[in-house]
Amino acid sequence: MPPRHSDNDKRRLHPAPDPIVLRNLAARVTYRGIAKHKAAPARFGLPPYTGPRGDESLCDDHASVEPEDMPDVRKWLVRGIDAGLIGHVERAGVPTIVWTVSDHGWIFEARVTNAGQAEYHGYPVRPSEAIAAMVIARFGGWANADGSEADRRAVENCRLLYRIAG
């Protein structure tokens, strides 16, 4: 995975997400993949990506996401929302960023694509990024207190993949 050129200061977990915002977002959130974060976009039913590749992380090449994983992406987004893994909340009540942890243990950062429809696209977070430790700490606390057995397995997979001690 190519190194990230910079860490954006806006990539911070909200310190105290409003439970009403979380509940409303979880009910509305949708996902739409974009070709920019796929090495083989056609496999996902997306048009080819023709722009220059910078430091983008790729769902399929870097995090081994396959087309058959696509039905789980909304579930993963709701998991992240339930765990309070959101960034700054816009006036419309939609966070600009939602983080989540897949069943395989990868942390994904989802950026709002269409705030009016609570639509996001996402990409894998590198193990070297500072946000990874913050996400797994909050996610692990939530999973242990309120999550399911699948959520707790995702925590363990994430800690192994990102080499973050529990």
Side-chain angles (χ1 to χ4, degrees), residues 1 4 11 37 56-60 62-65 106-109 122-126 129 162:
M1 188 178 300
R4 188 182 257 304
R11 296 172 73 223
H37 293 288
E56 289 85 11
S57 55
L58 305 175
C59 297
D60 45 354
H62 301 138
S64 302
V65 173
W106 277 99
I107 298 170
F108 286 88
E109 180 171 301
Y123 42 86
V125 171
R126 294 161 180 79
E129 293 181 68
Y162 284 78

Side-chain angles (χ1 to χ4, degrees), residues 17-94:
D18 182 338
I20 294 170
V21 169
L22 296 177
R23 188 172 41 251
N24 289 340
L25 182 61
R28 297 179 51 216
V29 70
T30 61
Y31 166 81
R32 182 185 305 227
I34 62 172
K36 182 177 182 178
H37 293 288
K38 309 287 186 288
R43 292 182 56 230
F44 295 84
L46 299 169
Y49 180 68
T50 57
R53 289 238 189 254
D55 63 355
E56 289 85 11
S57 55
L58 305 175
C59 297
D60 45 354
D61 267 12
H62 301 138
S64 302
V65 173
E66 296 294 331
E68 53 267 21
D69 294 317
M70 291 299 97
D72 291 329
V73 174
R74 184 178 186 287
K75 176 188 79 171
W76 296 341
L77 278 170
V78 170
R79 169 191 276 169
I81 294 163
D82 287 347
L85 302 177
I86 66 169
H88 172 74
V89 178
E90 296 290 318
R91 289 182 202 170
V94 176

Side-chain angles (χ1 to χ4, degrees), residues 5 11 48 60 63 88 101 108 110-111 113 134 142 151 155:
H5 295 305
R11 296 172 73 223
D60 45 354
H88 172 74
V101 178
F108 286 88
R111 294 281 181 148
T113 306
M134 292 178 263
W142 169 83
D151 298 324
V155 170

Side-chain angles (χ1 to χ4, degrees), residues 137-162:
R138 184 175 290 182
F139 182 71
W142 169 83
N144 287 331
D146 299 314
S148 67
E149 184 57 36
D151 298 324
R152 289 186 285 280
R153 278 193 309 271
V155 170
E156 291 310 311
N157 291 338
C158 187
R159 286 190 174 133
L160 290 170
L161 185 69
Y162 284 78

